Amino acid sequence: MATTTVSSDQHRSKFYWMATDALTITKRNLINYVRIPQSLVFSTIQPVMFVLLFRYVFGGAIGSETSKLGLSYVDYLMPGIFIQTIAFGSVQTGVGLAEDLQKGIIERFHALPMTRSAVLAGRTIADLIRNLVVIVIMIIVGFLVGFRIGTNIGEFLAGVGIALLFAYALSWFFALIGLAAPNSETAQVMAFPLLFPLTFASSAFVPVQTMPSWLRGFANHQPLSVAVNAARSLMDGPVAAHAAGSTTGDLAITAIIWCVVLLIIMIPLSVNIYRRRV
């Protein structure tokens, strides 16, 4: 009995210190965002420009296609913008890790008595919080340009939750890239060629039905489209789910499965590469 109690205490102590270390690194990264607010400001300006561009420049041409689906273009657009925004924002996880490696900061962390996974967990959690702030700003921008919730506040928040879960999964993917890159500039160069096809060959900005048949299969089933369709159905209602060819529940479950699978694969790979780098 005494041995079992000691073992249980040691297990709780290990988990406690793992969580404490991760929160410490999270706080450190959040302080950096506060001290350098330009990074948050400029990461918000780009999606606002996308909103204005697609809403008022391309919206007139694309809107005729979304109206056939029973949706106004701004309601169709904004869930895609939310996912696009957090996807591009998740690149900062890899860039930040590559920069810390380049400056030798992670080597200093390695010399401290902290768990190896805390550096990665702290970075991804901090970027998740930053993505939450950016999504709140984008929701305000969306309402200013005419976006309206087509369901209820609970389903809308569930859509935001799926967007954030997808952002967290992508952060671990880009953490892997950042750890593999020799410097922050290379990490950014490596990330965007992977992200651009996923973003624009998706249902984020235009209905997939308007794409060539050879591209439609990829656009329908790639992870970014899956996340967009789930968020859109939860924010816009059954009409959006019908346009995606499924039900809201099925779309949400599929998106969650994608995110969980990405996390199951990326977290061990990232931790393993981190251990090798340091």
Side-chain angles (χ1 to χ4, degrees):
M1 178 66 72
T3 303
T4 303
T5 303
V6 170
S7 177
S8 176
D9 289 342
Q10 288 176 343
H11 179 72
R12 283 199 298 267
S13 177
K14 182 178 180 180
F15 177 80
Y16 170 80
W17 287 113
M18 185 185 302
T20 302
D21 292 342
L23 290 175
T24 300
I25 299 298
T26 300
K27 182 179 178 181
R28 174 255 179 186
N29 291 322
L30 290 176
I31 290 173
N32 283 342
Y33 288 135
V34 173
R35 291 178 177 174
I36 312 175
Q38 293 90 340
S39 61
L40 182 61
V41 171
F42 284 105
S43 65
T44 306
I45 289 176
Q46 185 186 51
V48 170
M49 292 175 65
F50 269 104
V51 170
L52 298 178
L53 178 67
F54 280 89
R55 174 72 173 94
Y56 296 112
V57 179
F58 301 144
I62 305 173
S64 59
E65 295 296 328
T66 59
S67 63
K68 296 176 185 177
L69 304 175
L71 290 168
S72 68
Y73 184 61
V74 66
D75 290 336
Y76 183 91
L77 172 68
M78 288 312 301
I81 288 290
F82 297 152
I83 300 296
Q84 179 256 349
T85 299
I86 56 93
F88 277 79
S90 298
V91 175
Q92 294 303 314
T93 301
V95 174
L97 283 171
E99 186 176 1
D100 285 346
L101 280 167
Q102 188 178 359
K103 293 179 178 178
I105 294 174
I106 288 184
E107 290 183 4
R108 298 176 192 174
F109 289 152
H110 183 57
L112 297 174
M114 66 166 58
T115 55
R116 298 287 183 89
S117 60
V119 174
L120 301 180
R123 167 64 66 175
T124 54
I125 293 171
D127 287 339
L128 177 66
I129 295 171
R130 178 180 55 80
N131 275 324
L132 174 60
V133 173
V134 172
I135 281 188
V136 170
I137 295 172
M138 295 312 300
I139 290 172
I140 295 171
V141 172
F143 281 122
L144 291 176
V145 299
F147 172 66
R148 295 296 179 266
I149 299 173
T151 52
N152 55 60
I153 190 64
E155 290 187 70
F156 179 79
L157 292 177
V160 172
I162 284 179
L164 291 173
L165 178 61
F166 184 63
Y168 191 64
L170 278 184
S171 288
W172 280 98
F173 173 73
F174 289 117
L176 185 68
I177 292 178
L179 291 169
N183 52 58
S184 57
E185 292 82 5
T186 305
Q188 191 163 11
V189 170
M190 291 170 62
F192 279 103
L194 298 173
L195 191 56
F196 263 80
L198 290 177
T199 303
F200 291 100
S202 74
S203 60
F205 303 117
V206 298
V208 172
Q209 295 87 331
T210 63
M211 299 179 184
S213 57
W214 57 267
L215 182 59
R216 201 175 302 150
F218 170 77
N220 262 322
H221 299 101
Q222 55 112 326
L224 198 137
S225 283
V226 170
V228 169
N229 290 338
R232 184 175 286 134
S233 64
L234 287 164
M235 295 177 181
D236 291 338
V239 174
H242 178 72
S246 188
T247 64
T248 300
D250 288 343
L251 291 170
I253 291 171
T254 303
I256 292 171
I257 290 173
W258 259 107
C259 294
V260 171
V261 169
L262 280 173
L263 287 170
I264 290 173
I265 295 172
M266 293 303 161
I267 290 177
L269 283 176
S270 298
V271 173
N272 185 48
I273 291 181
Y274 172 77
R275 285 174 175 168
R276 293 181 181 180
R277 284 295 303 268
V278 298

